[in-house]
Amino acid sequence: MKDVIAELTRIVQQVALVQDPKQQVRLIVDQIAQSLDCEVCSLYRLSSEGHMALLASHGLDADRPVAIPAGAGLVGLVVRTRHVVNIANGLKHPDYFHVADLLEERFKSFCGVPLVNNGEVIGVLVVQGRHAKKLSAKHEAFLSTLAAHIALLLPRLPVSNDAYVSSNTPLLGVAAAPGVALGHALPCRRDSLADVATAQDANVEQSLSDWQALLARVETDLRKERAALGELVSADVASMFDAYQMLLFDPTLSERVQSSIREGYALTTAIKMAIQYYADLFRAMDDEYMKARHEDVWHLGNKLFHTYQHGHPEMARQASDHDAVILIGDDISVSDIAAVPTKKLKGIVCAGGSRLSHTAILASALGIPAIMGVHGILDVAEQEVLIIDGDEGQVICDPPEPLLAEYRVVIERERNKIAGLDKLRDLPAITPDGHRVCLLSNSGLLADMSPGLRQGSEGIGLFRTEIPFMASETFPTEEEQVRLYRKALEVYRGKPVTMRTLDVGGDKPLPYFTVDKEQNPALGWRGIRFALDNVQLLVTQLRAMLKAAREPNQLHVLVPMLASLDELKSMNSLLDDTLAQLTDEGVEVYRPRLGAMIEVPAAISQIADWRPYLDFISVGSNDLSQYLLALDRNNPRVASRYDHVHPAVVREMQRIVKSCRELNLPLSVCGEMAADPVAVLLLLGMGVDHLSMSSARLPKVKLLIRKTKRSVAEEYLSQALVLGSAREIRELGNALIQREGLLELPNS
Ligand code: PEP
Ligand code: MG
């Protein structure tokens, strides 16, 4: 190997080009063995039991799963020392561990490099050679550098099929909808539009007419599927299909497809190009919710593709063989879900997707667990029995009978619990010693709304109005906004609805209003800064909100990302002007209560200065934690360090609550803190009495509040305030919840 950097770059790039994780590991070991000209290169990965499982090897023949017990052998030595072990003759080393049948004794030299992720050794990369000779310093450095890249890749690789079948190592993913379920795997495996190879088709007229026919057919299918789901969940949830329909009838989608056909591309290629364009637009957004919408775009693309190929797969028929099925697949669309009889559908596991996918939202609404990002799920065989845990984000494949029996008991208990939580729906969230908390829901889509009401939500605490702006092709008109806001206000008639003004820019770019890429989007042109600089949008939005509100006191207006008094004063006078404008036009309007989001740390010390211009405060704990900790929680490299019960966040939170109390300023919390049981205990201890969260989390929070005496929460808070880490605060809170049974239903 002459040029180390060039060789490194070559291997990293080659691996990145391969999609299949199994091929990726093969490629890694083969390429390293070739580059270093050594006989053996092996990749070991830490299993959940603590042993090192051989994931792939060039040079060792493993015809059965190989696992080195925790801490054993030279591999164990690398793990313990967290350091490279480079020795001429491993066979003579006191730590040498013989693995039967592996015929490793043929190889003397050993160089093992730890694979470290988030500070933990998660695997070991080993090269071995026939001759007793240490690896050169240059090659050792090469291996260490490559190991840093592989360590980033390793968590995404599946455990080998045999290994997990024999040990029941759970497959891990992102917990997206809560609950535990048991059922037979029903794979949703089809060719994907993404894999369609670019093809030409000279028969332009035929392709154009096929496209029109396809649009009509898919539209009809969507309508039928929507109706099928609409009977089981609310019309609002079924209106998720609107997202597909909107895209389907978006003239620019059709124009793109037709123009590619005219350029000579085959219909499927033309569809893929147009879908890719839209998906990329969404995927480029930093806002988690909008980023997740790229999945909807692919779902629609795949639906078009499959319908064109051979219609929808007959999942309903396959599913009928079992009473309980778990839908598994790379990417499961709302249409796929609608194709399975809902009585049989017990859960969903996707290799792709995110917590905010429509798939996850729909699973929550159907009351079934969903887990996203489970890479190994694609290796699971059809009909295999699965246990899925949507609270922990794990899947157990082919569980042995004793484990199945255990889980049947858990599922039965869960079923009773849900029935019990349902009984709480119309009861107030009040502590046993009389502290009443108002529980509200966060919303953004009309589809999110009625589940909130069904869960006993007392109003909308945060309506993210930017979502309809981002889902649209252009700025929505005043009339379009009036219709949307009025619908929300009508659904929540008699209850408060807090609408946040446009929170775009920076990390949430509007596809049709992209500005130059910013160096530091989180600190850039976003929230109120963007809105005030584009005041015409803000005026239109305020006009629409005021026109939509027909009940006095129902509408509250919330301003995101405030950092200075000037911004608040500008917002206030804008509201006055808009009210005056509408009154002049003869429209009957009510002055809404005006609130500030506390998200920028600079806001905390200014609450008293802002008081004269404010009616309420809402703490956006997601951004507040991100800015206080200088941690981008969407960045996987640092996400594990992010925790909204970090001592600094808890202490600042208490400072905010104290200021508001002194200033007689109503306060609510609308970030993720409001739905996290440990954080809720802390907030209860502080005396917070308004919490807003996604509606699926609401029943559990209500149960916690109804079981926790305010005095107990106060005591916990005072202990937490002197602890030095989020981990200790969590441990203490979880121990309290366990000890006092704070999440146990009475008599369950
Ligand atoms: C927050 O930052 O906590 C919040 C609720 O706003 P968003 O998540 O929409 O930025
Ligand atoms: Mg925010």
Side-chain angles (χ1 to χ4, degrees):
M1 182 182 20
K2 287 199 185 84
D3 184 344
V4 170
I5 303 278
E7 194 63 9
L8 266 172
T9 314
R10 187 184 67 77
I11 297 182
V12 172
Q13 282 178 348
Q14 280 210 3
V15 171
L17 284 175
V18 175
Q19 297 284 327
D20 175 24
K22 279 185 180 159
Q23 277 183 31
Q24 281 183 325
V25 280
R26 267 250 65 86
L27 194 71
I28 289 169
V29 291
D30 289 344
Q31 291 288 322
I32 296 176
Q34 187 192 330
S35 299
L36 297 183
D37 195 18
C38 59
E39 279 86 9
V40 176
C41 177
S42 311
L43 187 58
Y44 291 87
R45 165 171 157 167
L46 183 69
S47 77
S48 58
E49 285 92 9
H51 58 241
M52 277 290 166
L54 181 62
L55 212 54
S57 178
H58 172 101
L60 294 182
D61 298 322
D63 56 3
R64 61 180 177 82
V66 169
I68 300 179
L74 294 169
V75 167
L77 181 65
V78 175
V79 178
R80 282 200 306 282
T81 58
R82 294 183 284 185
H83 196 264
V84 180
V85 172
N86 185 3
I87 43 184
N89 193 343
L91 304 180
K92 291 203 173 143
H93 194 281
D95 278 298
Y96 174 71
F97 176 82
H98 179 74
V99 181
D101 304 336
L102 209 52
L103 300 180
E104 238 185 333
E105 53 277 19
R106 291 173 290 165
F107 306 107
K108 292 196 174 101
S109 74
F110 176 98
C111 182
V113 185
L115 301 170
V116 178
N117 196 308
N118 280 330
E120 302 290 335
V121 180
I122 57 164
V124 177
L125 185 64
V126 174
V127 296
Q128 291 169 283
R130 220 173 274 285
H131 305 293
K133 187 168 166 249
K134 267 179 80 168
L135 203 65
S136 72
K138 181 174 155 189
H139 284 180
E140 184 188 310
F142 168 81
L143 209 57
S144 300
T145 314
L146 202 52
H149 289 276
I150 297 170
L152 295 177
L153 185 76
L154 204 59
R156 303 209 301 266
L157 302 179
V159 181
S160 89
N161 226 357
D162 296 340
Y164 75 67
V165 169
S166 62
S167 63
N168 291 118
T169 305
L171 302 179
L172 300 180
V174 177
V180 178
L182 199 159
H184 294 266
L186 176 61
C188 197
R189 283 187 198 117
R190 289 154 310 192
D191 302 338
S192 164
L193 179 66
D195 298 329
V196 164
T198 303
Q200 308 284 325
D201 189 342
N203 199 342
V204 171
E205 288 315 313
Q206 183 61 47
S207 294
L208 287 173
S209 113
D210 285 352
W211 169 239
Q212 293 306 335
L214 183 61
L215 277 179
R217 204 167 140 203
V218 169
E219 207 264 323
T220 312
D221 281 359
L222 285 174
R223 219 172 319 115
K224 280 191 202 150
E225 288 161 5
R226 179 192 172 124
L229 270 182
E231 287 168 16
L232 294 148
V233 292
S234 72
D236 271 341
V237 171
S239 77
M240 281 179 185
F241 283 98
D242 287 347
Y244 293 169
Q245 301 247 12
M246 250 169 61
L247 255 171
L248 194 64
F249 288 109
D250 182 340
T252 37
L253 174 83
S254 200
E255 274 158 26
R256 274 185 177 271
V257 172
Q258 293 179 58
S259 101
S260 299
I261 291 173
R262 289 198 185 94
E263 283 167 30
Y265 289 105
L267 175 56
T268 47
T269 305
I271 295 174
K272 179 181 169 182
M273 288 157 82
I275 290 293
Q276 182 84 57
Y277 168 80
Y278 280 100
D280 288 349
L281 274 185
F282 281 98
R283 198 195 270 278
M285 298 178 188
D286 288 332
D287 175 72
E288 254 192 286
Y289 186 90
M290 293 315 294
K291 199 190 267 294
R293 302 284 67 82
H294 85 271
E295 292 162 30
D296 293 336
V297 178
W298 277 115
H299 289 161
L300 179 70
N302 277 320
K303 181 151 189 70
L304 286 162
F305 177 50
H306 299 135
T307 308
Y308 180 64
Q309 275 191 317
H310 34 236
H312 202 279
E314 304 241 318
M315 282 191 295
R317 185 189 50 73
Q318 294 172 36
S320 64
D321 296 346
H322 293 290
D323 285 343
V325 299
I326 311 274
L327 206 48
I328 65 170
D330 193 7
D331 214 359
I332 295 171
S333 72
V334 179
S335 295
D336 294 331
I337 297 171
V340 179
T342 328
K343 267 199 192 119
K344 294 172 184 286
L345 184 62
K346 301 298 174 198
I348 293 169
V349 185
C350 289
S354 75
R355 198 171 44 83
L356 294 172
S357 314
H358 268 155
T359 313
I361 294 173
L362 185 53
S364 277
L366 290 168
I368 56 172
I371 309 174
M372 302 288 164
V374 183
H375 300 284
I377 201 67
L378 300 180
D379 297 330
V380 167
E382 184 162 352
Q383 317 243 358
E384 188 164 326
V385 174
L386 303 179
I387 294 172
I388 74 167
D389 185 337
D391 300 305
E392 298 297 326
Q394 63 179 29
V395 182
I396 302 172
C397 307
D398 197 15
E401 190 46 47
L403 197 61
L404 271 176
E406 239 175 71
Y407 268 92
R408 284 197 189 100
V409 174
V410 171
I411 290 167
E412 187 55 30
R413 214 186 295 137
E414 273 291 306
R415 202 172 288 142
N416 293 337
K417 192 162 184 172
I418 289 166
L421 283 176
D422 238 23
K423 287 190 207 129
L424 298 182
R425 196 185 66 180
D426 299 321
L427 297 176
I430 187 164
T431 64
D433 47 358
H435 177 71
R436 173 78 165 90
V437 182
C438 179
L439 297 185
L440 306 146
S441 42
N442 291 350
S443 195
L445 283 176
L446 282 179
D448 292 334
M449 285 183 193
S450 59
L453 278 182
R454 281 206 310 278
Q455 308 280 20
S457 162
E458 297 175 73
I460 296 182
L462 173 66
F463 186 98
R464 292 179 161 108
T465 61
E466 63 276 8
I467 292 174
F469 270 75
M470 299 174 103
S472 175
E473 268 290 294
T474 54
F475 295 121
T477 63
E478 184 177 314
E479 274 321 300
E480 281 168 336
Q481 290 185 59
V482 172
R483 275 200 297 278
L484 176 73
Y485 302 153
R486 189 165 285 160
K487 181 93 194 276
L489 290 157
E490 277 168 4
V491 170
Y492 276 81
R493 191 171 301 131
K495 298 183 162 68
V497 173
T498 302
M499 294 195 183
R500 177 167 74 184
T501 56
L502 199 55
D503 188 18
V504 294
D507 69 330
K508 300 179 195 174
L510 288 176
Y512 44 89
F513 195 79
T514 32
V515 287
D516 298 339
K517 196 145 181 64
E518 292 175 287
Q519 285 262 326
N520 238 328
L523 308 182
W525 206 34
R526 59 169 299 198
I528 189 64
R529 306 165 191 179
F530 174 92
L532 285 175
D533 288 350
N534 292 284
V535 70
Q536 77 288 6
L537 300 180
L538 201 49
V539 171
T540 306
Q541 187 176 42
L542 286 174
R543 284 177 59 93
M545 287 178 181
L546 296 172
K547 279 172 131 181
R550 286 175 168 154
E551 274 180 43
N553 303 324
Q554 191 191 10
L555 171 71
H556 306 331
V557 173
L558 183 60
V559 188
M561 289 289 295
L562 273 172
S564 76
L565 183 58
D566 283 346
E567 289 164 347
L568 182 57
K569 283 185 179 169
S570 305
M571 191 64 206
N572 244 295
S573 58
L574 211 61
L575 185 59
D576 288 337
D577 289 352
T578 315
L579 283 162
Q581 239 179 52
L582 288 170
T583 309
D584 284 351
E585 290 171 28
V587 182
E588 191 185 1
V589 283
Y590 305 100
R591 192 177 214 290
R593 294 170 73 227
L594 187 69
M597 283 196 85
I598 304 291
E599 300 185 283
V600 180
I604 301 172
S605 59
Q606 299 183 83
I607 297 177
D609 306 326
W610 294 1
R611 179 64 183 103
Y613 305 89
L614 275 183
D615 299 306
F616 68 99
I617 286 284
S618 184
V619 182
S621 62
N622 307 338
D623 273 320
L624 184 63
S625 309
Q626 149 159 289
Y627 292 129
L628 276 171
L629 303 175
L631 265 175
D632 177 0
R633 72 198 182 110
N634 294 321
N635 177 344
R637 303 257 165 79
V638 294
S640 64
R641 292 180 154 85
Y642 175 98
D643 195 332
H644 48 225
V645 301
H646 186 290
V649 180
V650 177
R651 289 169 203 172
E652 289 303 313
M653 192 71 217
Q654 206 200 18
R655 203 172 143 212
I656 298 168
V657 174
K658 201 158 160 272
S659 297
C660 288
R661 190 168 297 128
E662 284 165 9
L663 296 163
N664 195 22
L665 184 59
L667 169 141
S668 72
V669 176
C670 65
E672 288 300 305
M673 249 185 140
D676 169 359
V678 168
V680 170
L681 288 181
L682 296 168
L683 296 172
L684 260 186
M686 293 176 200
V688 172
D689 55 9
H690 280 71
L691 297 174
S692 189
M693 67 205 77
S694 70
S695 49
R697 321 274 291 273
L698 213 137
K700 201 165 167 184
V701 171
K702 186 185 279 187
L703 173 65
L704 181 70
I705 292 171
R706 289 181 60 86
K707 300 222 41 190
T708 310
K709 277 194 180 154
R710 168 92 192 273
S711 53
V712 170
E714 282 169 345
E715 172 65 21
Y716 167 51
L717 174 67
S718 66
Q719 290 167 351
L721 281 169
V722 293
L723 292 176
S725 71
R727 183 183 49 75
E728 289 166 283
I729 294 177
R730 278 209 177 275
E731 279 172 8
L732 192 66
N734 282 326
L736 173 65
I737 291 172
Q738 284 294 322
R739 195 175 60 245
E740 302 290 325
L742 300 178
L743 285 172
E744 297 292 324
L745 275 164
N747 306 325
S748 70

